[in-house]
Amino acid sequence: MKRKLQALLLLLILGGLKLPVEQAATRYLREAKLLSLPLDMGVRDSIGQMGFAASLGGLRSLVASITYLQAYTAWTNVDWAKVDTYFTLTTSLQPRYERYWDEASWHMAYNAASNYRNNPKLNAAVREKLYKDHIQRGVDILKQGLHLLPDSALLWKTLGETYERRVREPKSAADAYMEVYRITQRLHFARLAAYQYAITEDPALWQKAYGLLKDSYDKNQRPPSLINTLKELEEKLKIPAASRIPDPVKKI
């Protein structure tokens, strides 16, 4: 009996010594994106016992594919609450797959929002509220995805487009496009940011827009939209005539 107790005590001591090492290894693997994030209790309840068991058994991507297909079915049935629910499950199961976040946001900010806005069965006030709420839901989904994937050019790009086309917040759109530029170093996105900064009411942002567009201009990237915006900014910022770019040549 004494020897059994000694063996049990030894196991407990070894377990206690091993635990911090395993926790550190798990934390390292998750930070290196080599190990999936743990499922929270809400997801476990939602996907059911079989789904949870399958996800633990290495079939997490398969379970995510099934919830993705369920979201698609809900979309064809125009059931936006279920679309949101199934995409929440899908992104929880595969949080590092950026396209799930991107599509989930698109359904909310574009499809659901427009569907509610154009629904003649609702009064105008309710339509407008649901329209704005679902656009905001799309933005929130993208921000949640970016919390996990801060260097996703796709998600930053979609966030910029959503702020530009749906929320109508030019500074937020520009800041998101600048993140895409930071990640990709493609001048196209610096120009998209500049166009948004240029239409704000803030002179400091006009100056920022001017610098970004002038940089593209000096690198021989000169689409008509850039020339036109630069000329507008020269007027707003009162750039000296000697420092302005040449006027575009008018075609006869």
Side-chain angles (χ1 to χ4, degrees), residues 78-92:
V78 199
D79 189 337
W80 302 117
K82 283 189 177 178
V83 170
D84 194 15
T85 298
Y86 285 127
F87 263 112
T88 298
L89 292 174
T90 306
T91 51
S92 297

Side-chain angles (χ1 to χ4, degrees), residues 193-212:
Y195 296 146
Q196 293 299 302
Y197 285 136
I199 61 174
T200 66
E201 301 296 327
D202 186 346
L205 295 179
W206 300 345
Q207 189 66 54
K208 187 170 183 176
Y210 179 81
L212 290 168

